[in-house]
């Protein structure tokens, strides 16, 4: 265990994900191990875990409603059983996902996005074995994904961003003495985190994974590890620099718990701050600014992307800075702003000089 503690944060996450996936695979049909081995270089470890979770639901459905096996364990399902599944079976499964009860008695529901994700996992499984000529049929390939309705992008307006940072910096008048004392201890760190998220658009996982040595004040940049493990340099402005400098001056005085000495952002227990802790502090401060919007770290990322697109009008720049591999992902999220840009452009081109 000591070796894991001393390793890099991102390596720790990778190890935990591998262990979690192995534990989940032990409960899935044996042939799933071959599937995950085949896709591990194409998708990230978190995607594999999501696939394993979704496939577990599908195989439970097969046992209960489709297959007539004597066993009640999904581990006993064989690869040949996939050829017994029809297009109608999968369509019935999609309907089942609307409302079902798991073995532990909990009731689960899925909207169109949940169903689409689970169908995607199923298509991936069938495609892998069908293309490898290990099964004869591929019914999942002819089942249509649910139509996804566009969701409006939730983000903070400029005045809300200013109010948010003011509250982090100065606190709230409604705080008790105990809350004020706690706030005084954390406000420099919290301001650095929120300013960094709002000023660079990095993901919360990238933020908590930062080490002290990843901050380069000479170039006003941080080195982050993106989804998939690729490193990237992200540049920040003066406001982020000021907040980070103030926090790092404070951070240097803290003796972190063994194994967390390199972490940039620390919890009150002097360990690397967790994703959940950052999600909580964003929710805590944002709820004092707006009650109509559910603000998460990802919404702060959307806020940054919106502001950058408004200022630059360059969707490729936004995609690059946010670390999107496909610019269409970026365009889908910020397409609703195109009309504003077009309207702003109406007087840019002059036909006659004044």
């Amino acid at each position: 265990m000591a070796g894991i503690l001393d390793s890099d944060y991102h390596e720790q996450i990778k190890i935990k994900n591998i262990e979690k996936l192995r534990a989940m695979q032990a409960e899935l049909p044996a042939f799933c191990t071959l599937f995950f081995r085949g896709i591990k270089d194409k998708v990230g470890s978190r995607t594999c875990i999501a696939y394993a979770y979704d496939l577990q639901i599908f195989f439970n459905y097969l046992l209960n409603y489709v297959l007539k096996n004597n066993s009640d364990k999904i581990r006993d399902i064989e690869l040949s059983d996939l050829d017994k599944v029809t297009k109608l079976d999968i369509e019935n499964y999609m309907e089942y996902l609307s409302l079902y009860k798991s073995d532990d008695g909990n009731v689960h529901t899925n909207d169109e996005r949940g169903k689409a994700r689970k169908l995607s996992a199923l298509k991936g499984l069938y495609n892998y074995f069908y293309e490898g000529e290990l099964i004869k049929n591929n019914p999942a390939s002819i089942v249509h994904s649910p139509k996804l309705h566009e969701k409006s992008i939730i983000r903070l307006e400029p005045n809300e961003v200013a109010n948010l940072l003011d509250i982090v910096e100065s606190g709230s008048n409604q705080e008790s003495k105990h809350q004020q004392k706690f706030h005084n201890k954390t406000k420099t760190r919290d301001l650095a985190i929120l300013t960094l998220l709002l000023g660079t658009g990095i993901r919360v996982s990238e933020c908590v994974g930062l080490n002290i040595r990843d901050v380069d004040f000479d170039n006003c940049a941080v080195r982050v590890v993106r989804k998939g493990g690729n490193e990237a340099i992200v540049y920040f402005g003066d406001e982020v620099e000021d907040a980070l400098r103030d926090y790092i001056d404070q951070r240097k005085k803290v003796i972190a718990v063994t194994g967390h000495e390199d972490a940039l952002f620390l919890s009150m227990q002097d360990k690397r701050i967790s994703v959940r802790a950052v999600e909580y502090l964003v929710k805590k401060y944002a709820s004092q600014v707006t009650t109509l919007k559910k603000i998460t770290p990802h919404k702060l990322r959307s806020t940054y992307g919106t502001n950058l697109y408004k200022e630059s009008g360059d969707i490729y720049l936004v995609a690059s800075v946010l670390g999107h591999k496909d610019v269409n992902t970026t365009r889908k999220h910020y397409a609703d702003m195109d009309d504003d840009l077009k309207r702003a452009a109406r007087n840019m081109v002059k036909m006659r000089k004044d």
Side-chain angles (χ1 to χ4, degrees), residues 1 11 22 30 45 69 80 128 131-132 218 283 311:
M1 189 67 180
E11 191 63 26
R22 284 179 178 174
S45 57
N69 296 0
S80 58
Y128 178 79
E131 290 172 3
D218 290 336
K283 179 181 178 181
E311 293 297 325

Side-chain angles (χ1 to χ4, degrees), residues 2-182:
I4 296 178
L5 282 175
D6 293 338
S7 66
D8 180 79
Y9 167 78
H10 299 285
E11 191 63 26
Q12 292 180 40
I13 297 299
K14 183 179 178 181
I15 290 171
K16 288 179 181 178
N17 286 343
I18 290 173
E19 291 175 340
K20 185 172 184 178
L21 181 59
R22 284 179 178 174
M24 296 182 76
Q25 283 181 218
E27 298 181 1
L28 291 172
F31 59 82
C32 285
T33 299
L34 182 61
F35 167 63
F36 285 113
R37 189 181 302 145
I39 67 170
K40 68 181 179 65
D41 294 329
K42 299 178 182 178
V43 299
S45 57
R46 287 185 296 180
T47 300
C48 285
I49 290 172
Y51 275 14
Y53 171 77
D54 293 340
L55 291 174
Q56 190 174 48
I57 298 171
F58 173 69
F59 289 127
N60 267 322
Y61 175 82
L62 288 191
L63 281 183
N64 292 325
Y65 299 99
V66 179
L67 301 177
K68 303 300 181 182
N69 296 0
N70 294 326
S71 175
D72 60 352
K73 296 180 180 178
I74 62 176
R75 182 70 178 173
D76 296 330
I77 295 176
E78 298 179 353
L79 182 58
S80 58
D81 288 324
L82 292 184
D83 271 324
K84 300 175 183 177
V85 178
T86 66
K87 176 177 180 283
L88 181 60
D89 290 330
I90 296 178
E91 289 174 341
N92 288 337
Y93 167 64
M94 298 302 291
E95 174 57 31
Y96 163 83
L97 289 173
S98 300
L99 178 67
Y100 69 95
K101 185 179 291 187
S102 55
D103 292 339
D104 57 11
N106 290 325
V107 175
H108 303 269
T109 60
N110 283 273
D111 60 12
E112 66 239 17
R113 281 175 169 74
K115 291 180 181 180
R117 193 191 79 171
K118 289 174 173 58
L119 181 58
S120 176
L122 196 54
K123 284 177 180 284
L125 180 78
Y126 265 93
N127 287 341
Y128 178 79
F129 289 114
Y130 184 74
E131 290 172 3
E133 299 182 342
L134 296 174
I135 56 176
K136 298 177 181 179
N137 304 310
N138 188 357
S141 67
I142 53 176
V143 175
H144 296 296
S145 294
K147 181 179 179 181
L148 301 181
H149 296 87
E150 291 298 325
K151 297 173 68 174
S152 59
I153 302 298
I154 298 175
R155 50 200 166 223
L156 292 173
E157 297 300 323
N159 65 306
E160 292 173 328
V161 171
N163 290 340
L164 176 67
L165 297 179
D166 286 344
I167 289 174
V168 179
E169 202 166 24
S170 305
S172 169
N173 295 329
Q174 299 177 351
E175 290 179 334
S176 65
K177 288 185 177 180
H178 175 74
Q179 289 172 326
Q180 290 174 358
K181 186 177 180 180
F182 181 81

